[in-house]
Amino acid sequence: MASLAKSFTLFILLFFASAVWPQSGSQISWSTDSESLPQNSIKSIAPDKYGFIWMTTENGLVRYDGRDFKIFDSGNTGIKNNRITYLRGSLKKDSIYTSTENTEDIILINHRRALKVDPKKHKAPWFDDPGKNNLLICEGIPSYFFGLPKRPYKIPLPGGDYYSIANDSVAHYDNKKNLLYKIKFHYEANKYFFVLGQKLFYLAPDGKYAAITERTVSSSQLKIKPGNDFQIYWNIVSEQVFLYSNENLYQLHADSGKLSEGLLIEKQDLKSANVWTIYFDSGSGIIYLGSIKKGLGIYKIKSFKTITPDKNHHPELFEIFYAIHPYNDSTAISSSGIFMDGNEIIRNLEFYTDKYDVAIDQNGDIWTSYFSLLHRYKKSDGFKKMEEWDFIDDISTIYVAKNGTIWMDLAKRRKNFGKLYHFKPDQKPEFIKQADLNTKINCITEDANGKIWLGTKNGLYFMDSVSGKPIAVAGSGNIKVRSIYFDSDQNLWFTSYEKGFLLYRNNKIYRFPTDKNGYLNASHCILEDHKGFFWISTNKGLFQVKRKSLLDYASSKMHAVYYQYYDKSFGFLTNEFNGGCQPCGTRLANGNFLFPSLNGVVVFNPDKISPILPNKNIFIDEIIVDEKNITTGKSIELNRNFERITFVVSSPYFGNQSNLNFEARLEGPDNQDWMAIKDHRSITFTKLRPGTYTLTIRKLNGFDSRYDYTKIKIIVPEAFWQTAWFQFLMITLIVLLIYAGYNFRLKFIRKRNILLEKTINDQTHDLKNTISTLRATKDSLHEQAEKTTKLMQYITHDIKTPLKFMSMASQMMYESDNSNPEELKENLKSIFTSSTQMYNFIDNLLEYTKAYTNNEVDTEEFSLYRIVEEKIALFQGIAQSQKTSIRNLIMKDTALVTNRQLFSIIIHNILDNAVKYTGNGSIIISAVSSPEKLEIVVKDTGVGMSEKTKRHYTALMENYENNESKKSAKLGLYIVIESLLILNGTIEFTSKENRGTTIRMSFRKIKP
């Protein structure tokens, strides 16, 4: 029910739309002061040399470019009043004249502008003084001054000669007022005279006319019979004559003294509209009507016709059409069984169909479908009977191939997959399934070689000649194909619902630029005429484009494509054409094209279409700088402090304004690439940097997709400080100042250098001393840092052994049952001894620190035997635990003079190492004294040293400061070597692996 209600509503809307816009003819569209005219009384209309249309009104002179009205009045021309009379003059010479009321001011239309001119410098015959004879100078027909029907009458001609009519005679004078001839001629009124084709005619209200020449007056009769509304319209500027009679408007043509009439407007009441002046632009098919009360009327001769059902004869028909198929050379049939020619519906078979497909086989039988039902109407019985086959699934398209095979696609409703079938149109067809597809087929066609092509919801396919299976065209999977067309060169073109129309050639898909409004994105159908133009239907109108331009674009030979757009103002009843059907459009043998639409079938013959192309020149009509108009020219110079400049562009064009598209580019210090000029037809720039610019404006001028250009130079002057001469002057001045300053400075420096040299010499000496001091300080700081690091190493090393022994004694106490008092006592003694040793170590370390912090090492005499005994006591417990004996063989009276603390550290570390590496053995300490030195020997039976280790420590002792290997030396011997160096001692190593080590230390004897 909802679907039925929507269809009924659509029917009612279309019915009333058809009633408002009758198909019998076009309507006159009127523009008044509500549509930008200054006033509603138009007395005269004429074109100028550049294609603009000019009109005179009671409130100024108007120029029309097809879209906008530009007004010239007292505000911008200097005329005294705005009541403008008639247009006279020559458009070919670009000199059209008019005047204000009572000829107060004369206005010249030249170079697209209206200028007030001096009458003394512009002698025009139209403004001569009537004189005592009250001469009437022709202004065209009709005129306000025909009140006296036979008033002396002068008709100036463009070449300067003129006719003088008076007293039932006609005289012809040349441009120097010499009489050429004079002939008697009886007439009723001046308003029946006009000049056409350089000949003077007189047309009476009864249709009889006379052609007046030098020697003869030839009379004849028009083919039409004039009515009571007889009226002649003579436009002297455009040199056109019109006849209005019986509500029809005719244009009169002259050939060899004979008049003929051509019908322009049929059944329009121009009398009641008070039409006063007429101009017909034959190139665009537009008739301009100037009314005394209704303003400007525009009547477009329709190039297209729309066939709709006549409700009186076919009340059962809807206006919505889809598939249309040629039936013969001059007739087409729709999918619903409606036969039509180029003018009307001639027969209705009332097929039972869903309207989306129609095909005619080689027998002349017609095939259609209604959802899942396939129908055949046979030619043999006049298409009266219907055969039917039900396939359950919907039939999406039907196509008859050149070999007679019929192809069709079955698709489940609202499901995107199809089943391709083919059959022969026999009495009992056998339907053969060809393939399954994962998409619905919208259209089927074939190329010149008979290869079948499929347009689907998911791209383009072709039938493989070997396997017979559909093969997808690469890159087309996301394109919803609506129709396919092969041109005469077998290029494949196809339309889509979202991506416009496309070309498939050489295994590549080409896309094309869309139109200004994007209407081509939803393209339905392509038909080609014999001149090489494509006609493409869409949801928003019809487009015409040159096929060669498209191929050149695809080959990158050009970078733009011109599309000619037609909307319903050209004769459609709606802009919405229909697609998604097969066939989507039809070309008949007689040249007519038929496209289905939402309101009827649009019919036209491309050969009879005269497209209105935007091929007029581009003009920069106005230049507005900071809200002030300035004179236009090839170049302009601006005030450098300007804020805003606007260029208003125009080009006379009287077709659909979507076909006229301007682009602009600015080149200069501030560049702007090509940009579209919007509907306001102006482009604005603000705050341009100083420099010279070129503004280029272009538009496509027609089907060859070539551009028209116009350019203007813009100069933004520099401030005086930005000019080249000023910059050069400043650079020169700066160079001179630098040179003068340099010389002055050079003299000053020379004087100062003498003083500085002395000062520098003094300061250099002081600086050297300072550097020496700094270097010494640096070395001292480095030495102190190294000493601090060593101190931390020593602390760790010296405390390690007592702590280890205390740990061992504590462990033994913890693990024993403490039942043996002697053992417990012994362990406590060991802990006490180790604690005492740690105290002594710390005390020695403090002394060691003092030794390092002082620049000089204190010396004293002390008992060598006693200090060795003290050290033996420290290690005795550990040695006994390792079953190692320590013996002191030094004589008790042996004394040594040196730093006691450092020597104690040396002995401590040597004994520590001996105890560590000797087990179940002995350690013997002895001393040998000589007059020069005292040699102390420590000999153990431990593990000994390798040759590599001995060489390492020997080299360390010999070159300690520069030896990098000291960083890897064992800490104990490292401390021993460093301390010995401080005490000026030496050390030697004698050792073999597993046979013990002997260390000999020598100290020079000094006095205490």
Side-chain angles (χ1 to χ4, degrees):
M1 285 298 291
S3 176
L4 182 61
K6 286 173 66 177
S7 298
F8 180 76
T9 301
L10 182 59
F11 171 81
I12 295 299
L13 288 173
L14 291 173
F15 176 82
F16 281 107
S18 179
V20 173
W21 298 101
Q23 185 60 32
S24 60
S26 304
Q27 296 295 304
I28 300 172
S29 62
W30 294 96
S31 297
T32 65
D33 54 1
S34 299
E35 288 79 32
S36 299
L37 276 177
Q39 194 265 343
N40 295 329
S41 297
I42 296 179
K43 300 177 185 177
S44 190
I45 300 176
D48 67 8
K49 178 181 178 180
Y50 306 96
F52 293 95
I53 305 297
W54 292 82
M55 294 162 271
T56 62
T57 76
E58 297 289 320
N59 193 27
L61 184 62
V62 179
R63 192 193 75 185
Y64 180 54
D65 65 3
R67 194 193 75 150
D68 298 320
F69 297 101
K70 183 175 178 61
I71 301 169
F72 296 86
D73 56 17
S74 58
N76 55 15
T77 63
I79 58 178
K80 296 175 182 177
N81 72 75
N82 293 328
R83 298 173 70 90
I84 312 297
T85 59
Y86 295 90
L87 296 170
R88 302 94 156 178
S90 173
L91 66 91
K92 295 177 182 177
K93 295 180 179 180
D94 194 20
S95 59
I96 300 174
Y97 288 91
T98 187
S99 64
T100 60
E101 191 175 45
N102 299 322
T103 321
E104 289 183 292
D105 293 304
I106 295 176
I107 302 170
L108 171 64
I109 298 173
N110 177 261
H111 291 293
R112 314 179 322 277
R113 287 178 174 77
L115 306 170
K116 176 184 173 182
V117 295
D118 185 352
K120 295 179 181 179
K121 296 181 180 180
H122 290 263
K123 294 291 185 179
W126 302 280
F127 309 115
D128 289 346
D129 189 345
K132 62 180 180 179
N133 294 325
N134 194 24
L135 180 67
L136 172 62
I137 300 174
C138 175
E139 298 173 330
I141 304 174
S143 171
Y144 285 114
F145 303 102
F146 285 146
L148 295 174
K150 301 185 73 172
R151 178 180 172 186
Y153 192 38
K154 179 181 179 180
I155 303 177
L157 299 178
D161 53 338
Y162 63 93
Y163 291 102
S164 176
I165 302 170
N167 301 321
D168 288 333
S169 64
V170 175
H172 189 187
Y173 294 86
D174 64 15
N175 57 6
K176 295 182 179 179
K177 299 183 180 182
N178 297 316
L179 178 65
L180 300 176
Y181 68 86
K182 186 174 183 180
I183 190 169
K184 284 291 184 179
F185 181 76
H186 179 73
Y187 59 94
E188 293 182 14
N190 294 332
K191 64 181 180 181
Y192 300 132
F193 284 101
F194 58 85
V195 175
L196 189 60
Q198 303 299 316
K199 284 185 170 56
L200 180 65
F201 288 89
Y202 181 87
L203 176 59
D206 59 0
K208 293 180 180 180
Y209 66 88
I212 303 170
T213 61
E214 182 176 353
R215 295 191 177 97
T216 61
V217 175
S218 58
S219 299
S220 188
Q221 177 77 43
L222 292 177
K223 293 180 181 180
I224 62 170
K225 184 179 180 180
N228 295 328
D229 54 357
F230 174 89
Q231 176 64 57
I232 296 173
Y233 293 92
W234 177 24
N235 191 321
I236 62 174
V237 177
S238 65
E239 301 180 28
Q240 293 175 331
V241 179
F242 306 92
L243 174 62
Y244 179 73
S245 178
N246 297 316
E247 294 190 337
N248 296 329
L249 181 68
Y250 303 88
Q251 183 178 17
L252 299 182
H253 303 278
D255 184 17
S256 301
K258 297 292 184 180
L259 290 178
S260 61
E261 62 277 357
L263 180 63
L264 294 180
I265 301 177
E266 186 178 11
K267 298 303 177 186
Q268 294 287 340
D269 186 3
L270 303 186
K271 282 289 186 181
S272 63
N274 291 109
V275 172
W276 196 257
T277 180
I278 300 174
Y279 164 65
F280 175 44
D281 183 356
S282 59
S284 63
I286 299 175
I287 302 166
Y288 298 92
L289 308 169
S291 168
I292 297 301
K293 69 176 183 179
K294 297 185 68 173
L296 175 66
I298 294 179
Y299 182 95
K300 294 183 179 180
I301 298 176
K302 306 302 182 185
S303 303
F304 299 84
K305 180 179 180 61
T306 302
I307 298 175
T308 56
D310 186 337
K311 298 305 178 182
N312 295 323
H313 297 90
H314 305 284
E316 75 286 353
L317 297 181
F318 289 92
E319 294 89 346
I320 303 174
F321 286 83
Y322 281 90
I324 301 176
H325 198 289
Y327 183 72
N328 56 34
D329 290 352
S330 60
T331 306
I333 183 173
S334 74
S335 54
S336 54
I338 299 174
F339 287 86
M340 65 193 78
D341 59 15
N343 296 305
E344 60 184 352
I345 293 172
I346 57 178
R347 186 182 177 190
N348 180 19
L349 297 179
E350 299 183 16
F351 288 166
Y352 188 54
T353 177
D354 56 16
K355 296 188 176 184
Y356 290 107
D357 44 61
V358 60
I360 301 177
D361 64 25
Q362 293 178 340
N363 302 319
D365 298 339
I366 299 173
W367 297 80
T368 66
S369 67
Y370 182 76
F371 298 102
S372 65
L373 303 176
L374 177 66
H375 296 156
R376 174 166 64 181
Y377 297 88
K378 303 193 75 173
K379 182 179 180 181
S380 59
D381 64 4
F383 310 112
K384 294 179 181 179
K385 294 181 180 180
M386 178 185 73
E387 294 180 281
E388 181 177 281
W389 293 266
D390 191 349
F391 292 92
I392 303 175
D393 294 333
D394 289 349
I395 300 169
S396 64
T397 190
I398 304 171
Y399 174 72
V400 178
K402 297 171 186 176
N403 62 5
T405 302
I406 300 178
W407 296 81
M408 68 177 181
D409 177 61
L410 301 180
K412 286 189 179 295
R413 199 168 301 173
R414 292 184 289 276
K415 300 291 185 180
N416 188 27
F417 63 85
K419 291 179 268 187
L420 182 63
Y421 282 79
H422 66 85
F423 62 92
K424 294 291 185 180
D426 301 329
Q427 188 66 30
K428 293 183 179 181
E430 180 185 358
F431 301 98
I432 301 171
K433 184 178 179 181
Q434 184 71 25
D436 290 318
L437 285 88
N438 291 324
T439 182
K440 177 185 174 183
I441 301 174
N442 292 326
C443 59
I444 304 173
T445 191
E446 63 185 312
D447 59 23
N449 298 320
K451 179 187 288 186
I452 297 297
W453 292 79
L454 311 175
T456 77
K457 291 184 70 174
N458 294 97
L460 198 62
Y461 288 76
F462 63 88
M463 300 300 294
D464 184 69
S465 58
V466 177
S467 66
K469 299 296 183 183
I471 305 298
V473 171
S476 68
N478 63 342
I479 302 174
K480 297 178 182 178
V481 180
R482 303 277 284 173
S483 67
I484 302 173
Y485 171 73
F486 283 96
D487 65 21
S488 55
D489 297 326
Q490 289 300 292
N491 295 309
L492 189 155
W493 305 81
F494 59 102
T495 63
S496 73
Y497 204 72
E498 296 172 347
K499 300 183 184 298
F501 66 96
L502 306 97
L503 167 66
Y504 179 66
R505 185 173 66 167
N506 299 328
N507 299 320
K508 184 177 179 181
I509 294 175
Y510 297 88
R511 289 194 63 180
F512 298 94
T514 188
D515 61 292
K516 169 185 176 181
N517 301 307
Y519 296 158
L520 277 167
N521 287 333
S523 298
H524 294 319
C525 193
I526 297 175
L527 294 180
E528 183 180 5
D529 63 27
H530 71 274
K531 294 181 180 178
F533 289 100
F534 281 173
W535 297 82
I536 306 171
S537 60
T538 73
N539 277 341
K540 293 288 187 178
L542 185 66
F543 287 86
Q544 180 185 9
V545 60
K546 195 172 185 178
R547 178 171 69 105
K548 183 179 182 301
S549 295
L550 296 174
L551 293 174
D552 286 345
Y553 181 89
S555 302
S556 300
K557 294 179 181 178
M558 59 176 52
H559 304 288
V561 177
Y562 176 80
Y563 301 103
Q564 181 78 6
Y565 174 62
Y566 302 89
D567 62 8
K568 66 181 185 181
S569 67
F570 289 84
F572 319 151
L573 298 183
T574 176
N575 286 331
E576 187 169 352
F577 288 82
N578 283 330
C581 53
Q582 188 166 5
C584 57
T586 291
R587 175 181 177 179
L588 300 180
N590 66 1
N592 282 343
F593 282 15
L594 293 87
F595 283 103
S597 79
L598 201 62
N599 193 357
V601 176
V602 176
V603 182
F604 63 97
N605 189 323
D607 292 341
K608 297 178 181 179
I609 302 296
S610 297
I612 308 171
L613 299 176
N615 52 13
K616 301 295 183 182
N617 290 335
I618 304 171
F619 303 104
I620 297 176
D621 215 33
E622 289 184 76
I623 302 176
I624 306 169
V625 180
D626 295 336
E627 301 183 356
K628 294 181 179 179
N629 284 65
I630 65 173
T631 304
T632 61
K634 293 184 179 180
S635 66
I636 57 169
E637 183 169 337
L638 304 176
N639 186 307
R640 67 180 181 84
N641 294 318
F642 84 97
E643 295 290 333
R644 181 185 182 92
I645 183 170
T646 300
F647 297 87
V648 180
V649 181
S650 69
S651 180
Y653 181 67
F654 303 96
N656 190 293
Q657 293 297 314
S658 295
N659 297 323
L660 180 61
N661 299 295
F662 296 102
E663 294 179 309
R665 178 179 66 186
L666 184 67
E667 298 172 286
D670 295 321
N671 282 311
Q672 292 190 21
D673 205 359
W674 290 112
M675 51 190 169
I677 298 179
K678 301 301 182 182
D679 291 337
H680 49 72
R681 303 278 170 85
S682 64
I683 184 169
T684 299
F685 303 100
T686 58
K687 289 288 187 181
L688 295 176
R689 287 187 293 165
T692 300
Y693 296 82
T694 300
L695 175 63
T696 305
I697 299 169
R698 70 180 184 183
K699 66 175 175 63
L700 289 172
N701 62 8
F703 291 113
D704 288 332
S705 299
R706 305 299 179 188
Y707 283 105
D708 287 330
Y709 294 88
T710 190
K711 296 183 178 182
I712 185 171
K713 183 185 291 185
I714 307 168
I715 301 170
V716 181
E718 301 166 323
F720 74 91
W721 61 84
Q722 295 173 316
T723 58
W725 66 265
F726 181 81
Q727 292 174 357
F728 174 77
L729 181 63
M730 292 305 297
I731 291 171
T732 303
L733 181 61
I734 291 170
V735 169
L736 292 174
L737 288 173
I738 292 173
Y739 180 74
Y742 172 78
N743 286 332
F744 176 79
R745 182 67 177 170
L746 188 61
K747 292 178 181 178
F748 175 75
I749 289 173
R750 285 173 180 171
K751 291 180 181 179
R752 289 193 59 188
N753 281 347
I754 298 172
L755 298 174
L756 285 174
E757 284 180 6
K758 181 177 182 305
T759 305
I760 289 171
N761 290 334
D762 296 339
Q763 292 180 350
T764 300
H765 178 73
D766 295 339
L767 183 60
K768 288 181 179 179
N769 293 336
T770 303
I771 291 172
S772 299
T773 303
L774 289 174
R775 285 178 177 171
T777 302
K778 177 183 175 184
D779 294 341
S780 176
L781 289 173
H782 179 70
E783 183 180 355
Q784 290 295 329
E786 283 190 349
K787 289 178 180 179
T788 302
T789 302
K790 294 172 186 176
L791 178 62
M792 295 304 298
Q793 293 174 344
Y794 296 162
I795 292 172
T796 303
H797 184 269
D798 286 349
I799 293 177
K800 181 178 178 183
T801 300
L803 283 176
K804 180 179 179 182
F805 188 76
M806 289 174 64
S807 175
M808 292 171 57
S810 300
Q811 183 179 5
M812 292 175 61
M813 291 176 61
Y814 175 74
E815 292 176 352
S816 66
D817 55 5
N818 296 325
S819 58
N820 187 345
E822 289 298 326
E823 184 179 351
L824 178 62
K825 183 176 179 181
E826 188 66 26
N827 286 332
L828 289 173
K829 181 180 178 182
S830 297
I831 291 172
F832 170 75
T833 303
S834 297
S835 300
T836 303
Q837 290 174 358
M838 287 178 63
Y839 171 78
N840 291 330
F841 290 158
I842 291 171
D843 184 60
N844 288 336
L845 285 172
L846 290 174
E847 293 298 327
Y848 179 72
T849 302
K850 293 177 181 180
Y852 268 99
T853 54
N854 295 328
N855 293 329
E856 296 181 0
V857 179
D858 295 333
T859 60
E860 61 178 302
E861 185 178 15
F862 56 87
S863 172
L864 181 60
Y865 173 82
R866 186 177 299 168
I867 198 168
V868 169
E869 280 296 315
E870 291 175 358
K871 295 301 178 181
I872 290 173
L874 289 174
F875 293 100
Q876 190 67 46
I878 297 174
Q880 288 178 355
S881 66
Q882 295 179 172
K883 297 181 180 181
T884 297
S885 63
I886 302 175
R887 289 187 294 164
N888 183 2
L889 300 182
I890 297 173
M891 302 294 293
K892 293 183 179 180
D893 59 351
T894 302
L896 178 64
V897 179
T898 187
N899 185 278
R900 178 184 175 88
Q901 287 77 18
L902 289 178
F903 181 78
S904 174
I905 290 170
I906 291 170
I907 289 298
H908 179 96
N909 280 283
I910 289 175
L911 277 177
D912 184 22
N913 284 331
V915 171
K916 281 181 184 177
Y917 298 108
T918 302
N920 196 20
S922 62
I923 299 171
I924 300 173
I925 304 169
S926 61
V928 178
S929 179
S930 67
E932 291 83 16
K933 63 180 180 179
L934 177 65
E935 185 180 76
I936 303 166
V937 180
V938 180
K939 182 178 181 181
D940 64 53
T941 59
V943 297
M945 294 183 184
S946 66
E947 288 298 323
K948 181 179 180 181
T949 302
K950 286 193 296 180
R951 287 196 300 271
H952 170 74
Y953 284 114
T954 301
L956 189 64
M957 184 66 187
E958 292 174 353
N959 190 14
Y960 179 78
E961 290 297 332
N962 299 321
N963 199 319
E964 289 295 325
S965 62
K966 64 184 178 180
K967 295 179 181 179
S968 59
K970 292 183 180 180
L971 187 60
L973 288 177
Y974 172 82
I975 295 172
V976 169
I977 291 171
E978 188 174 68
S979 299
L980 281 170
L981 289 173
I982 294 172
L983 299 180
N984 295 319
T986 62
I987 188 169
E988 292 180 4
F989 301 95
T990 303
S991 177
K992 292 184 179 180
E993 290 187 81
N994 299 319
R995 296 183 63 180
T997 300
T998 300
I999 297 175
R1000 288 181 172 83
M1001 295 178 290
S1002 298
F1003 296 92
R1004 287 181 297 172
K1005 286 186 177 180
I1006 57 176
K1007 294 181 179 182

